[in-house]
Amino acid sequence: MSAVPIPETRDHVLAGIMLTSVAYFVFTLHDAVVKLLVASTPVWQILFFRSVTILIGCLILGGRPLCVEAARSPVMKPMFLRSFLILVAWLCYYTAARYLQLAELTTIYYAAPVMVTAMSVFVLKEQVPPVRWAAVFIGFAGVYLACDPATLGLSIPVLLVLAAAFMWGLSIVLLRKIALQEKTIVQMVLNNSFFLVTAGVPLVYLWHTPDLLEILLLLGAGTLAGIAQFTLFEGMKRAEASIVATFEYTGLVWAFLLGYLIWADIPRHEVFLGASLIIGAGLLMIAGEHFRKRPTPEK
């Protein structure tokens, strides 16, 4: 049975904003755990164990009927396409990370919300009010200010990050279409089954036997990723892609905060100014959606 679309009322949109904001916070926690793991554990192995953890959680909740439902899902092909786009984005991003500074990498990658907003107009036929465009560009300005990037040319690493941003943006647009057609838990099964198989192949040659701490971190990464995926998928059911795109910028604020708490990284003054713009963009989006008039749903 496919998911029933959730009507786009003001309360549902604000709930979607809340859910996606939680998702990007939890994704940042996940990234912090992964950062601790990558010093000793291959990235493919992290992705494999993360997918195993999420699938076990889904099967505990859904059991055998969930497997049958996932196998018969009408969104299997678009879901695998989305998973492939995320995989390509991930490979491009981490390849470029070898050659670019974090500030440069982050700034270029956070062009994705702008791309999502633009693609939502052409692919999803969403009506994007001026306040949404303003919020997206204010948020990007905040990211740019916080990262203070150097002047960059169109080098191969830069093009790789732009490609990663485009792939991620396209995957979010696809997620919006998929989320309206299928239950969240089925999407999670399909998504993580793809990554389980994809990561399992190179893992045969890259296996690292984890110690107790690494096992706990791998389980933690999988649990956090599962929570983040669930809240993101649920948020996308309730709010348009052009709305939730702005709230991806909040991940940068959490990243700087966790960097300080875990690694004692002290942000520069520009970081606080940029964070203020990012928060302002989010509040602008919330205010715009709160006061926006919507047609009363038919009873």
Side-chain angles (χ1 to χ4, degrees):
M1 181 178 178
S2 299
V4 178
I6 297 174
E8 189 187 299
T9 64
R10 181 174 62 189
D11 289 343
H12 283 123
V13 170
L14 294 177
I17 289 173
M18 179 64 68
L19 285 166
T20 52
S21 297
V22 169
Y24 289 123
F25 168 66
V26 180
F27 269 130
T28 307
L29 290 176
H30 164 268
D31 291 344
V33 174
V34 171
K35 183 175 174 63
L36 294 171
L37 278 168
V38 291
S40 58
T41 308
V43 177
W44 289 106
Q45 188 167 347
I46 297 171
L47 182 60
F48 180 85
F49 273 91
R50 191 187 79 164
S51 300
V52 168
T53 304
I54 295 173
L55 286 171
I56 289 175
C58 291
L59 293 177
I60 290 174
L61 293 174
R64 178 179 173 82
L66 176 60
C67 296
V68 175
E69 193 172 359
R72 297 175 177 174
S73 174
V75 303
M76 181 181 293
K77 290 183 179 180
M79 197 69 199
F80 284 163
L81 173 60
R82 178 183 179 272
S83 299
F84 175 75
L85 290 172
I86 294 175
L87 179 63
V88 173
W90 176 68
L91 292 174
C92 290
Y93 185 85
Y94 282 102
T95 300
R98 300 177 182 176
Y99 308 101
L100 296 175
Q101 296 178 358
L102 181 60
E104 299 169 341
L105 198 67
T106 306
T107 302
I108 301 168
Y109 187 72
Y110 272 96
V114 181
M115 296 181 182
V116 170
T117 303
M119 284 188 285
S120 69
V121 176
F122 299 103
V123 179
L124 300 178
K125 308 302 181 183
E126 293 181 2
Q127 299 295 322
V128 182
V131 68
R132 289 190 203 170
W133 285 110
V136 168
F137 285 107
I138 289 172
F140 182 71
V143 172
Y144 188 92
L145 179 61
C147 294
D148 190 24
T151 303
L152 300 175
L154 288 178
S155 61
I156 291 179
V158 170
L159 292 175
L160 284 173
V161 183
L162 286 172
F166 176 78
M167 294 294 180
W168 172 253
L170 185 55
S171 75
I172 289 295
V173 173
L174 282 175
L175 175 57
R176 169 65 177 173
K177 298 191 72 170
I178 295 169
L180 298 175
Q181 302 175 45
E182 187 57 274
K183 293 192 296 188
T184 294
I185 194 169
V186 173
Q187 295 178 58
M188 292 175 67
V189 169
L190 294 173
N191 186 55
N192 289 283
S193 295
F194 175 88
F195 284 117
L196 183 72
V197 174
T198 305
V201 175
L203 191 57
V204 174
Y205 306 97
L206 300 172
W207 174 261
H208 163 75
T209 302
D211 57 27
L212 179 59
L213 177 60
E214 290 168 338
I215 291 175
L216 292 175
L217 289 173
L218 286 167
L219 290 174
T223 302
L224 289 170
I227 295 171
Q229 286 182 17
F230 181 84
T231 50
L232 180 62
F233 292 177
E234 282 294 308
M236 294 297 291
K237 289 178 183 294
R238 292 164 171 80
E240 295 179 343
S242 57
I243 295 176
V244 301
T246 303
F247 293 88
E248 188 172 348
Y249 291 131
T250 59
L252 181 66
V253 179
W254 298 122
F256 283 123
L257 179 60
L258 290 174
Y260 173 74
L261 294 176
I262 299 174
W263 293 281
D265 294 335
I266 300 176
R268 296 169 288 103
H269 293 299
E270 291 84 358
V271 172
F272 293 103
L273 293 174
S276 298
L277 285 175
I278 293 169
I279 294 171
L283 293 175
L284 176 62
M285 181 71 78
I286 292 173
E289 293 306 313
H290 180 75
F291 292 107
R292 182 186 173 202
K293 293 183 179 180
R294 286 184 168 80
T296 303
E298 298 181 2
K299 294 182 179 181

mmCIF file of all heavy atoms in Angstrom, residues 3 27 63-64 90 92 120 164 175 195 221 229 271:
data_model
loop_
_atom_site.group_PDB
_atom_site.id
_atom_site.type_symbol
_atom_site.label_atom_id
_atom_site.label_comp_id
_atom_site.label_asym_id
_atom_site.label_seq_id
_atom_site.Cartn_x
_atom_site.Cartn_y
_atom_site.Cartn_z
ATOM 1 N N ALA A 3 2.006 5.250 0.275
ATOM 2 C CA ALA A 3 1.740 6.294 1.251
ATOM 3 C C ALA A 3 0.674 7.234 0.739
ATOM 4 O O ALA A 3 0.563 7.498 -0.452
ATOM 5 C CB ALA A 3 3.016 7.066 1.546
ATOM 6 N N PHE A 27 22.220 14.594 11.026
ATOM 7 C CA PHE A 27 23.229 14.293 10.003
ATOM 8 C C PHE A 27 24.588 14.878 10.399
ATOM 9 O O PHE A 27 25.633 14.272 10.139
ATOM 10 C CB PHE A 27 22.802 14.876 8.649
ATOM 11 C CG PHE A 27 21.995 13.937 7.805
ATOM 12 C CD1 PHE A 27 20.793 14.345 7.233
ATOM 13 C CD2 PHE A 27 22.425 12.641 7.575
ATOM 14 C CE1 PHE A 27 20.038 13.482 6.458
ATOM 15 C CE2 PHE A 27 21.683 11.757 6.795
ATOM 16 C CZ PHE A 27 20.476 12.178 6.236
ATOM 17 N N GLY A 63 9.381 -6.330 9.859
ATOM 18 C CA GLY A 63 9.397 -7.767 9.659
ATOM 19 C C GLY A 63 9.314 -8.185 8.193
ATOM 20 O O GLY A 63 9.592 -7.414 7.272
ATOM 21 N N ARG A 64 8.885 -9.421 7.969
ATOM 22 C CA ARG A 64 8.802 -9.982 6.622
ATOM 23 C C ARG A 64 7.854 -9.195 5.709
ATOM 24 O O ARG A 64 8.172 -8.990 4.530
ATOM 25 C CB ARG A 64 8.374 -11.446 6.707
ATOM 26 C CG ARG A 64 8.205 -12.121 5.354
ATOM 27 C CD ARG A 64 7.794 -13.580 5.502
ATOM 28 N NE ARG A 64 7.474 -14.158 4.209
ATOM 29 C CZ ARG A 64 8.358 -14.629 3.345
ATOM 30 N NH1 ARG A 64 9.638 -14.567 3.646
ATOM 31 N NH2 ARG A 64 7.981 -15.146 2.196
ATOM 32 N N TRP A 90 28.753 11.631 -3.275
ATOM 33 C CA TRP A 90 29.656 11.270 -2.173
ATOM 34 C C TRP A 90 31.082 11.027 -2.678
ATOM 35 O O TRP A 90 32.054 11.515 -2.101
ATOM 36 C CB TRP A 90 29.065 10.030 -1.499
ATOM 37 C CG TRP A 90 29.859 9.433 -0.397
ATOM 38 C CD1 TRP A 90 30.116 9.964 0.825
ATOM 39 C CD2 TRP A 90 30.485 8.154 -0.420
ATOM 40 N NE1 TRP A 90 30.865 9.096 1.564
ATOM 41 C CE2 TRP A 90 31.105 7.976 0.821
ATOM 42 C CE3 TRP A 90 30.580 7.137 -1.380
ATOM 43 C CZ2 TRP A 90 31.818 6.825 1.144
ATOM 44 C CZ3 TRP A 90 31.281 5.986 -1.056
ATOM 45 C CH2 TRP A 90 31.889 5.843 0.190
ATOM 46 N N CYS A 92 32.445 12.145 -5.540
ATOM 47 C CA CYS A 92 32.997 13.418 -6.033
ATOM 48 C C CYS A 92 33.453 14.299 -4.878
ATOM 49 O O CYS A 92 34.538 14.890 -4.913
ATOM 50 C CB CYS A 92 31.943 14.167 -6.865
ATOM 51 S SG CYS A 92 31.561 13.431 -8.458
ATOM 52 N N SER A 120 13.378 22.756 -8.386
ATOM 53 C CA SER A 120 12.008 22.515 -7.945
ATOM 54 C C SER A 120 11.002 23.247 -8.831
ATOM 55 O O SER A 120 9.858 22.827 -8.981
ATOM 56 C CB SER A 120 11.835 22.950 -6.482
ATOM 57 O OG SER A 120 11.911 24.359 -6.359
ATOM 58 N N ALA A 164 29.045 17.338 -7.183
ATOM 59 C CA ALA A 164 28.472 16.733 -5.974
ATOM 60 C C ALA A 164 27.256 17.518 -5.505
ATOM 61 O O ALA A 164 26.228 16.938 -5.126
ATOM 62 C CB ALA A 164 29.526 16.669 -4.869
ATOM 63 N N LEU A 175 13.658 12.985 -4.155
ATOM 64 C CA LEU A 175 13.117 12.534 -2.877
ATOM 65 C C LEU A 175 11.738 13.124 -2.630
ATOM 66 O O LEU A 175 10.839 12.452 -2.113
ATOM 67 C CB LEU A 175 14.063 12.917 -1.735
ATOM 68 C CG LEU A 175 13.571 12.617 -0.309
ATOM 69 C CD1 LEU A 175 13.234 11.133 -0.163
ATOM 70 C CD2 LEU A 175 14.614 13.024 0.709
ATOM 71 N N PHE A 195 22.983 0.760 -0.921
ATOM 72 C CA PHE A 195 24.298 1.058 -0.366
ATOM 73 C C PHE A 195 24.960 -0.172 0.241
ATOM 74 O O PHE A 195 26.188 -0.296 0.231
ATOM 75 C CB PHE A 195 24.195 2.161 0.679
ATOM 76 C CG PHE A 195 24.010 3.530 0.093
ATOM 77 C CD1 PHE A 195 22.862 4.257 0.352
ATOM 78 C CD2 PHE A 195 24.964 4.088 -0.740
ATOM 79 C CE1 PHE A 195 22.675 5.519 -0.196
ATOM 80 C CE2 PHE A 195 24.791 5.339 -1.295
ATOM 81 C CZ PHE A 195 23.646 6.059 -1.023
ATOM 82 N N ALA A 221 26.915 5.556 14.296
ATOM 83 C CA ALA A 221 26.751 6.195 12.988
ATOM 84 C C ALA A 221 25.516 5.664 12.277
ATOM 85 O O ALA A 221 24.739 6.422 11.678
ATOM 86 C CB ALA A 221 27.998 5.971 12.132
ATOM 87 N N GLN A 229 17.642 9.958 8.268
ATOM 88 C CA GLN A 229 16.910 9.611 7.053
ATOM 89 C C GLN A 229 15.406 9.627 7.289
ATOM 90 O O GLN A 229 14.636 10.156 6.475
ATOM 91 C CB GLN A 229 17.337 8.224 6.561
ATOM 92 C CG GLN A 229 18.705 8.186 5.915
ATOM 93 C CD GLN A 229 19.068 6.814 5.404
ATOM 94 O OE1 GLN A 229 18.215 5.948 5.239
ATOM 95 N NE2 GLN A 229 20.351 6.590 5.155
ATOM 96 N N VAL A 271 32.517 33.544 11.294
ATOM 97 C CA VAL A 271 31.646 32.390 11.458
ATOM 98 C C VAL A 271 30.359 32.795 12.174
ATOM 99 O O VAL A 271 29.254 32.416 11.781
ATOM 100 C CB VAL A 271 32.355 31.274 12.247
ATOM 101 C CG1 VAL A 271 31.380 30.153 12.590
ATOM 102 C CG2 VAL A 271 33.520 30.723 11.440
#
